[in-house]
Amino acid sequence: MTEKSDQYFEDRANSDEARYHVVPSLDEGWGIKREDSDNHEYTASSKSDVVKEAKKRAKDAGTMAIIHDDNGQIEEQHNYES
């Protein structure tokens, strides 16, 4: 990443604008992480349950839900930004 993009993510981290990422979780199956956070905010064994929760949180916050596959690649994005 460039210095400019690093600053962008640092500014968004743990703010109301931080995006919600659905990612694999070693402990629970799937989890939600906000940008630039190491901890899962929500975990479940079912990916569909985690996706549903990430979309709800992103919609409530007016940000994005970004869904990753088993390998960490982005599968889909849901934009709730106004």
Side-chain angles (χ1 to χ4, degrees):
M1 273 194 233
T2 67
E3 189 174 317
K4 186 176 180 179
S5 64
D6 286 345
Q7 184 62 48
Y8 172 80
F9 287 114
E10 186 176 318
D11 290 346
R12 292 174 70 95
N14 298 312
S15 73
D16 290 340
E17 295 178 355
R19 296 172 177 158
Y20 293 90
H21 292 258
V22 173
V23 294
S25 168
L26 295 177
D27 299 329
E28 297 290 327
W30 291 91
I32 298 172
K33 285 187 178 182
R34 289 181 72 178
E35 282 180 336
D36 216 23
S37 174
D38 292 331
N39 300 318
H40 290 99
E41 291 190 1
Y42 176 87
T43 58
S45 59
S46 166
K47 183 177 182 180
S48 62
D49 289 345
V50 176
V51 168
K52 182 177 177 182
E53 180 66 20
K55 287 179 179 180
K56 178 188 174 302
R57 290 178 184 213
K59 186 174 183 178
D60 290 347
T63 188
M64 291 180 70
I66 301 171
I67 316 306
H68 296 262
D69 65 15
D70 291 334
N71 297 319
Q73 299 297 311
I74 294 175
E75 281 185 323
E76 55 187 283
Q77 299 180 56
H78 303 272
N79 189 348
Y80 301 101
E81 297 173 326
S82 38

